[in-house]
Amino acid sequence: MITGRVAIQTVGRALKYSLRYDFELAVKGMTQATSIFWILLLPLTGKAIVDFIVVRDISPPSDANVPFFFLPIIDYMLTLSVYETAFFLGALFITMLVLVGAYGTDGAQRSSAVAWLSEGEDIATRSENAANSMHSLVSGLYGLFESLWHIRVAHRLNHTLRSDIFHRFKSHSITELSNRANGDVVYRAMYDTPGVSNIIFNLWVGPITSFVNLVTTILVMFVIFRNEPVVVWGAIAVGPLNFFLMLYIAKLSRKYGTLAREAGSKATAVIEEGLANMMAVQGIGSTDIYVEKFRKASWFSFSRFRQVVLVGVSGNFIGFVIGANMVYIVFYYLAVPFINQEYSPGDWFVIWGYYGAISASAGWLGRLWLTLQEGIAGMHRVFMILDSELENVDPISELQESDSSLTLTESIQLENVSYSYPGGREVLREINLSANIGEMVAISGPTGAGKTTLAYLIPALISPTRGRLLVDGVEPSQYDLVRLREQVSFVFQETSVFNDTIANNVRMGRRDASIDDVQEAARVAGAHEFIEDLPEGYETNLGKAGAKLSVGQKQRIAIARALVSNKPVLILDEPTAALDPRTENELVRNLRMAREGRIVIVIAHRLSTIRAADRIYVMDDGAIVEWGDHESLMRQDGIYARFVSLQTA
Amino acid sequence: MRRIEPDKVHFADIVGIFLRGWPYIRPMAWHVLGFIGISVIATAWGTFWGITILTMIYQNVILDQPVAVVSASILFLDHDLLVHVEALTVDQRFQLVPLIVMLAVISGTLGAMIDNGGDYYRVWVMQNINQNLRMHLMSQLHHLSLKFHADSKTGDGIYRLFQDSAMVTQIIQSLVIDPFLMSVRFFIGIFVVMFFSPLLAVAILVTWVPLVVLANFMSAKLRHLFLEARVRNSTLTSTIQESIEGIRTIKVNGLERERQLIFENASVDAFVASHNARVRLLLYGFLAFMLAALPLTFIELYAAVLAFEQVPTFASDLLVLFGFAVWSLGAQDAARSRAREGVSNIQLLFLLWGRAQDMAMGLNRVYQILDLAPEIQNRVDAVPLKVIESDIRFVDLQFAYPERRVLENITFDAKLGEVTAIMGPTGSGKSTLMLLLLRLFEYQGGAIQINDQDIREFTFESVREKITLATQENILFSLSVRENIAYARQDATLDEIKEAARIACADEFIEQLPDGYETFLGERASKLSTGQRQRLVIARAILKDTPILILDEPTASLDAETERRIMANLKEWAAARTVFLVTHRLSTIRQADRIAFIRDGTIADYGTHNDLIAKPDGEYQRFVEAELATAQQLDETA
C-alpha cells in the first residue's frame, strides 16, 4: 500500500516530470491567474444593477465600497439616467460575455469552458475526462483560448507519458517481461496515464491560481470592507478545516484508488487472456467458465470503484457541512451591519461574491491533498514502470546507441557460466560452450533441461550470474554487448507476427530488404510456396497475431525474418518442431549452407535436425552432459545414443 | 454489419441507438425508478428550502419587508406580528437571523445526506446496467466463429468492452432524467416569470430557436469526430496490446526503436483525434452559451428597470402572497433567478445533445458486434447429441476460407476406441479439419457424421461438450498447476488431477516444483519449458474426459523418451474413446491405430501404418522414407 511518504515522493516526481512542459504550464498558469481579475469584477457589476437601477441608491456611501479600478465606471454611471444606465450596463455585460463569458452578481451567467464527455461508472472511462478537465474559471474568448491551450498540453503530456511507459516497458529484461500480464500494461498505458496529466495541473496551476485568487480577493475585501474581518477569516478557515478533517479520507482515497486500478487491470488481463486464446478456451469447452471468470473480474472492478465513490461521497458530505456551516456563521455576524444600514443592499452581493471566491480557493487548497490521492494511485502505477523497476531493466536495451566497433569475426564462447533466475533458482550450471564462424551448433536434451535459457545468454538477453561470455576470445564491455545483440538474430519457439503485411513482417529483420530479398529468404525458410498461394501473396495482412496462419506457417515467416536480416549469428529455438519432414529437410539443408560466414545455433529434439550440426551439446538438468559430433556421441553410448535409438527404433 | 455513417444520421437513428439499451436497463428498472425518486426528492427539497431561505434573507433581514404568508405558515411564525404589517422592526429582523441559520443548517445537512446517498445508489445501479451489457458483449464475442476473431484485434475488444459499453450507463441519466429535469426547469422558469411579466417569459421561451439551429449545424461533424476518436483510441489499445505480446521478437530483432515509432504514431493519431473532438465540443459549448446568455442579459436589465419603476407585477393579486405585489429587489431577484435557471437549463440540454452524439457513436460500436449473427447457429430442429455409439465419419467434406480453398473431398472414418493420426505437410489443413469437427468453423459441403447423422443436426453445444482439443499453442492461464489442469473441470478431485498428470507424464516434474501442484505459474507460465507446458495442456485435456480427444502436435516439443511414454499411456487410456492426433512426427504417427494423410486439402492416403508402408509408391511410404533418409542425405551434402 502507498504510505503518505511515498505519496509525497510520487507528487514530487510528478512535479519534476512536468518540468518538461514548463513553458506550456507557465502560459496556462498565467492565463488562469489573470482571469481572476475578471472574476473580481463580477460582483461589482451585480452591485451596479442593484444600486444604480433597482434601488437607485446612488448617495455617496455606495461608491466608497468600490475598488479603485471600478471607480471610473461608477463616476460615469452617476451622470446617467436609469435607462441610460441600463443600456450602458447592457453594453458592458455583452462585452464581458464575449470576453470572459460572465457578468453579474455571483457571475450570474458565468460558465467555465468545458469539453466534458459522458463517462461510465468505472475508472477507465473517467480517466479520459479527468485529463480533459481544464479547470478554467471563465469562458468567452479568454476561456476559449485558455482551454484550447490546456487541451493541447494535456494531450501532449498523455502522449509523452504513454510513450515513456512503452519505452521503459520494452527495456525490461526478458525474464521480467514474461512475468507481466499484457492486460496490465495496456491498462497502465491507456487508463493510468491520463490521470497524471490532470494531477500535474492540480499541482501547478491549481495551487498557484488559488493562492493568487485568495490573496487578491482578501486584499480587495480588506480595502472595501475593512470592518468585516469575520467574513475573511471565516472564508479562510474553510481551508484548514477541510485539510484536517479530510486527512483520514485522503488516506482511504489513496488506498481504494489503488485497489480499484488493480482490479481494473485484472479485468483487462482477463479480457486479453480470453480473446487472445479464443481457440484454447473453446477447445476445452470452458467458454462458460471463462465468461464467468470475466463476470467476476468485471464486477469486482466495479465494486472496487464503488468504494472509491463511497470515499468521495463522504468527502463531499464533510466538505458541504464545513462550507455550509461557515456560511451561516458569517451570515449571523454580517446581518448586524446590514440591519443597521451600514451597507447598501447592493453590498450584500459584493460581500457574498468575495466570500465565495475566498472560501472556494481556501477550500480547494484544503482539499488539494484529497484531490491528489486518487490520481496518486494511478501515478504511482505509472512511475512504478517508469523508474522503480530499474533492477529489472535490461541494461543493454537502455544504452540504445553504442560507439563500440565490436564485430564478431571468429567465435562466441561461454566459460564456466552459471545462471540463476532472480528468484534464486539455478537453471544453468558450469556451462562451457563454443561456436565458431562457419559452424552449425545444436543444443539438445530433455524438456526443461535449460536449452532456451542457455540460448538467451548468447545475445546477452540475460547476463551470467557466474562465468564469462567471450566474443572472439575477449570479454565484451556493456557497449560491445549492444553491438553484439545487433549481430544476433533469434527465432523463438513461439513466434509472433505483427499486424502488417507478410512482406513487412519479414522485413522487420532488415528494413531496406528488397522484395527479392524477402522472397529469397522466404524460399530458404520454406515459406514462399504457401505465401504465393494466398490471394494477396506477400501483401496479405496478418490480422490478430496472424490467426489466419498455422503455427508452422508463422514459424517459417519468423525464420525468413531472421534470414533476411543477414546477421553473423543465427539462433533458432526448435525451428522444425512444427514442420513436416520434407520442409524440415530442406530447411536444415539450407541452414547448413547458411552457416558459411556465420554461426548457426539450433535448439532441437529431432534427430534429423540435430545430426546435421557440426557439434552437438546434450544438456540435462541445467548442465552440458555430453558434446561432440554425431559419430563421436554415438560412440560414447550415453544419453545421446539412447535418445537416437529411441527415435530410429 | 450495419454501419451507421456519422454524417447520415437522423434524430430518429440516435433515439433508436439509445432505445436499444433498454434490455440492459430493464432488470434494474425498479432501482432506476428508486434513484429517480430519490433525486426528485433531493431536488424538490433543495429548491424549496433554497427559495424560502434566500427570500427571507433578502426581504426580511436585508430589507424590512413583511414575511411571506407561505414561509410564515411553514415556520409557525406569528402572522399578526410578522405578516400583516407594513414593515418589520429592527428587533424582529434580528430575531429572524438565528431561526434562518438553524433552518438552513438542518435542511442543508439533510439535503446533502439524501444527495450523496442517492449518488452512491446511482453508481451501483448504473454499474449493474453496464455489467449486463458487458456480459452480453463478452458472450457474443465468444459465440462468434473463429473467422471473426482472425480479423479483429484483442485491443479493440478491450476498448469496446470498457469504453464503448460504459455509455449505456448514461442513457437513463443523460437521455431521460437530465433532459426531463432540464425541460421541467425550463418550463417552470417560463411559468414563474410569466406571473411577473409575460414579455420576459416569451424572451425565455424563444431561446431554444437559435440553439436548435446551432445543434443542427454542428451535430454531424461532432459525431464524425467522436467516432474517429473512439476508433483511433481503439487502434492505439490494439497497438499496445500487440507490441506487448510480441515484445520478445521485437527485442531480439533490435526493432525497439522502430516499434516505438509505430506506437508513437498510433498515440499521436489518438491524441489528435481526441483533441479535435474535444475542441469541437468546446466550441459548440461556447456558442451555445453565447446564444443563451444574450437574451438573459436583456431579461436581467429589463427586470431591474421594472423594479426601479416599481410597477405592479403582472399577476400581482397572486404574487402578493409571496410578497411580490410590485417589482422590488426581491421580485427582481426571484424573476431573474428563475429566468436564469430556465435559460441555463435549455442551454445545458443542448450541451447534452452534443455529448449524446459521442454516446451514440460509442454504443453503436458495441451494437456492431452484437448485431453480427454468429456464423455457427443451431438448426431449428437440432437435438442434443447424447452418447457417441459409432465411428466418426468424414464424408466428402469441403471447406474454404473466403480467400482460398482449404479442404476438398475429405472422406475417412475415425474408429471408436482407436487413435487416428491426421498427418500431412505444414499448412495442409489438418488443424482446420479438427476445428470443423468442433464446429468452430462451418463446412460448406459434405458432412461429418456421428451416429450416422450429420453433426449439424445436433446442437453445437452438445457436440463441443463431447470433444476436448489440446491446442498446438500451449496456452496456460496465470493460475496454479492444479487449477490449470482442472480449468475445464473445476470439480475434479486432487486424485483425478494427479492421475491425468500421470498419463501426460507431467507428474514427475510437477512434484519437483517448489509447491508441487499448488505452484503458481504466473503469466504465460514462463517458469516452465515448452515441453512441460505441453504436458500440462495434455493433462488438462485428459482430465476433461470427453469421448473425443484431439491432440494438435502433442509431442512437438517433447524429447523422444517422454514422447514414447505419453503415447503408450494415451493408447491405454483411449480404450472406449476416439482420439485424434494431428502431427507429422513419424515416431508419434507410428503409434496410431490408423493414419489419414492429408495433402493439398484432400486425403492422399488412409490406413494402418503396416498397410500404408506396404502400399507401393504411396504418399505415406514416401514420407517415411524421406524421414528416415534425412540423416543420410545430410551426411552426403555435408
Side-chain angles (χ1 to χ4, degrees), chain A residues 53 82-83 90 97 101 103 105 108-109 114-116 118-119 121 124-125 128-129 132 140 147 151-152 155 159 162-163 166-167 170 172 177-178 180-182 185 190-191 268 272-273 277-278 282-284 289-291 295 298-299 302 305-306 313 317 320 325 328 348 394 397 400-401 447-448 456 461 492-494 498-499 508 511 534-535 544 548 551 554 556 561 578-581 585 589 592 605 608 611 646 649, chain B residues 57-58 62 104-105 108 112-113 116 120 122 124 126-128 130-131 134-135 142 149 151-154 162-163 166-167 170 236-237 241-244 247-249 251-252 255-258 260 264 267-268 271 275 278 282 286 289-290 296-297 301 304-305 308-309 336 340 355 359 403-404 426 440 469 473 475 477 487-488 490 523-524 529-531 533 535 544 557 559 561 564 584 590 623 630-631 633-635 638:
Chain A
I53 304 179
V82 170
Y83 304 101
L97 266 181
Y103 67 85
T105 353
Q109 235 325 303
V114 282
W116 188 83
S118 297
E119 55 192 14
E121 304 298 347
T125 49
E128 256 286 295
N129 267 334
N132 285 288
S147 306
I151 298 189
R152 187 130 200 103
H155 279 97
H159 163 70
R162 280 199 294 242
S163 305
F166 184 71
H167 170 73
K170 66 186 174 34
H172 278 171
L177 281 173
S178 40
R180 220 168 236 309
N182 295 349
V185 185
M190 288 301 291
Y191 308 131
T268 316
E272 204 266 346
E273 187 177 78
N277 304 324
M278 188 68 68
Q282 297 200 347
I284 52 174
I289 295 169
Y290 170 74
V291 171
R295 192 189 66 74
S298 164
W299 187 246
F302 274 139
F305 179 72
R306 265 202 326 279
V313 158
F317 182 72
F320 173 83
N325 285 301
Y328 303 130
W348 178 257
D394 171 13
S397 131
Q400 295 262 349
E401 299 284 347
T447 43
Y456 282 167
L461 286 170
F492 290 99
Q493 201 165 355
E494 274 144 20
F498 294 87
N499 180 24
M508 289 179 87
R511 252 320 150 203
L534 295 168
K544 180 172 79 178
K548 291 170 187 168
V551 178
K554 275 189 270 183
R556 281 183 280 174
R561 183 191 287 154
L579 302 184
D580 61 282
N585 286 347
R589 202 175 307 127
R592 272 184 72 84
H605 287 299
S608 43
R611 58 179 294 172
L646 261 171
Chain B
I57 291 175
Y58 292 152
I62 308 296
V105 168
M113 282 168 108
N116 287 302
Y120 182 78
R122 184 186 54 79
W124 179 80
M126 290 310 166
Q127 286 186 337
N128 267 289
N130 195 355
Q131 175 82 353
R134 274 190 188 178
M135 291 318 294
H142 270 270
H149 289 285
D151 286 322
S152 67
K153 306 189 196 92
T154 308
F162 275 171
Q163 302 283 337
M167 292 300 116
Q170 292 303 312
L236 173 64
T237 315
Q241 201 271 338
E242 186 196 60
S243 303
I244 293 166
I247 191 78
R248 293 194 309 170
T249 308
K251 266 179 100 66
V252 294
L255 295 169
E256 287 156 306
R257 243 170 296 173
E258 185 182 324
Q260 179 86 27
E264 285 185 13
S267 175
V268 166
F271 143 49
H275 175 258
R278 298 267 176 177
L282 191 66
F286 172 71
F289 168 73
M290 284 299 156
L296 212 56
T297 316
L301 289 166
V305 171
F308 163 72
E309 290 171 343
R336 187 190 59 139
R340 193 169 82 203
R355 286 206 298 278
M359 291 156 56
E403 60 263 38
R404 69 197 151 100
T426 325
L440 289 172
L469 165 73
E473 286 125 332
I475 288 147
F477 303 95
Y487 192 81
Q490 307 204 320
E523 280 307 315
R524 293 174 287 278
S529 76
T530 316
R533 270 182 283 164
R535 282 181 276 171
K544 183 82 192 299
S557 309
D559 56 283
E561 169 80 29
R564 192 188 53 76
H584 40 234
R590 271 155 84 167
F623 166 80
T630 310
Q633 275 176 15
L634 284 165
D635 285 344

Side-chain angles (χ1 to χ4, degrees), chain A residues 262-505:
Chain A
E262 276 166 9
S265 246
K266 188 90 211 310
T268 316
V270 172
I271 300 177
E272 204 266 346
E273 187 177 78
L275 293 187
N277 304 324
M278 188 68 68
M279 196 155 77
V281 171
Q282 297 200 347
I284 52 174
S286 56
T287 307
D288 294 343
I289 295 169
Y290 170 74
V291 171
E292 176 61 19
K293 190 175 168 187
F294 171 71
R295 192 189 66 74
K296 279 195 191 130
S298 164
W299 187 246
F300 184 65
S301 82
F302 274 139
S303 311
R304 285 295 195 201
F305 179 72
R306 265 202 326 279
Q307 290 176 321
V308 174
V309 171
L310 195 60
V311 173
V313 158
S314 321
N316 282 345
F317 182 72
I318 295 175
F320 173 83
V321 171
I322 296 170
N325 285 301
M326 193 55 75
V327 166
Y328 303 130
I329 291 170
V330 173
F331 166 72
Y332 192 82
Y333 281 97
L334 209 54
V336 183
F338 274 95
I339 295 174
N340 293 335
Q341 294 191 320
E342 286 163 35
Y343 299 123
S344 74
D347 287 338
W348 178 257
F349 296 101
V350 180
I351 289 182
W352 284 113
Y354 286 155
Y355 173 85
I358 298 173
S359 73
S361 294
W364 195 91
L365 283 173
R367 278 191 305 274
L368 176 62
W369 184 238
L370 176 65
T371 316
L372 292 178
Q373 298 313 314
E374 216 249 285
I376 283 177
M379 195 155 62
H380 187 66
R381 287 166 51 81
V382 170
F383 287 139
M384 249 162 77
I385 289 215
L386 286 190
D387 64 9
S388 68
E389 291 180 8
L390 273 170
E391 69 268 26
N392 294 322
V393 163
D394 171 13
I396 295 159
S397 131
E398 274 300 278
L399 291 172
Q400 295 262 349
E401 299 284 347
S402 163
D403 50 8
S404 154
S405 57
L406 175 119
T407 327
L408 182 79
T409 50
E410 287 166 26
S411 68
I412 287 185
Q413 282 165 291
L414 294 173
E415 210 179 77
N416 296 324
V417 166
S418 298
Y419 178 75
S420 307
Y421 275 127
R425 195 159 61 96
E426 192 172 58
V427 283
L428 294 178
R429 285 194 314 274
E430 297 292 317
I431 299 286
N432 283 294
L433 174 147
S434 75
N436 303 317
I437 294 272
E439 280 184 336
M440 175 170 166
V441 173
I443 304 171
S444 189
T447 43
K451 303 185 294 290
T452 305
T453 314
L454 171 59
Y456 282 167
L457 285 165
I458 292 163
L461 286 170
I462 53 175
S463 320
T465 348
R466 281 201 313 276
R468 301 193 294 171
L469 166 73
L470 301 177
V471 178
D472 295 342
V474 281
E475 200 169 357
S477 74
Q478 288 266 301
Y479 293 97
D480 292 334
L481 289 178
V482 180
R483 290 277 298 145
L484 174 64
R485 191 175 294 174
E486 281 168 14
Q487 294 176 53
V488 177
S489 211
F490 203 121
V491 179
F492 290 99
Q493 201 165 355
E494 274 144 20
T495 49
S496 307
V497 291
F498 294 87
N499 180 24
D500 204 336
T501 62
I502 291 184
N504 282 338
N505 262 287

Side-chain angles (χ1 to χ4, degrees), chain A residues 591-638:
Chain A
L591 286 179
R592 272 184 72 84
M593 287 194 295
R595 73 188 166 160
E596 293 303 324
R598 55 161 83 110
I599 299 172
V600 176
I601 298 173
V602 180
I603 301 170
H605 287 299
R606 286 167 83 160
L607 179 61
S608 43
T609 306
I610 302 167
R611 58 179 294 172
D614 297 295
R615 195 158 46 256
I616 303 163
Y617 290 90
V618 184
M619 290 187 73
D620 194 15
D621 198 21
I624 290 177
V625 286
E626 289 174 15
W627 64 279
D629 63 7
H630 177 71
E631 270 71 37
S632 71
L633 283 173
M634 286 304 284
R635 279 195 298 276
Q636 285 185 30
D637 201 22

Side-chain angles (χ1 to χ4, degrees), chain B residues 82-97:
Chain B
L82 297 167
V83 181
H84 308 297
V85 289
E86 194 70 7
L88 298 180
T89 66
V90 169
D91 279 349
Q92 283 174 327
R93 285 158 71 191
F94 272 122
Q95 278 162 12
L96 281 178
V97 171

Side-chain angles (χ1 to χ4, degrees), chain B residues 86 128 173 292 341 397-398 406 426 441 448 499 562 566 611:
Chain B
E86 194 70 7
N128 267 289
Q173 184 73 36
E341 178 137 328
L397 199 65
Q398 321 273 342
V406 181
T426 325
F441 286 121
I448 301 175
E499 175 60 14
T562 315
I566 293 183
D611 290 351

Side-chain angles (χ1 to χ4, degrees), chain A residues 98-111:
Chain A
V98 174
L99 282 180
V100 291
Y103 67 85
T105 353
D106 44 343
Q109 235 325 303
R110 180 164 143 206
S111 118

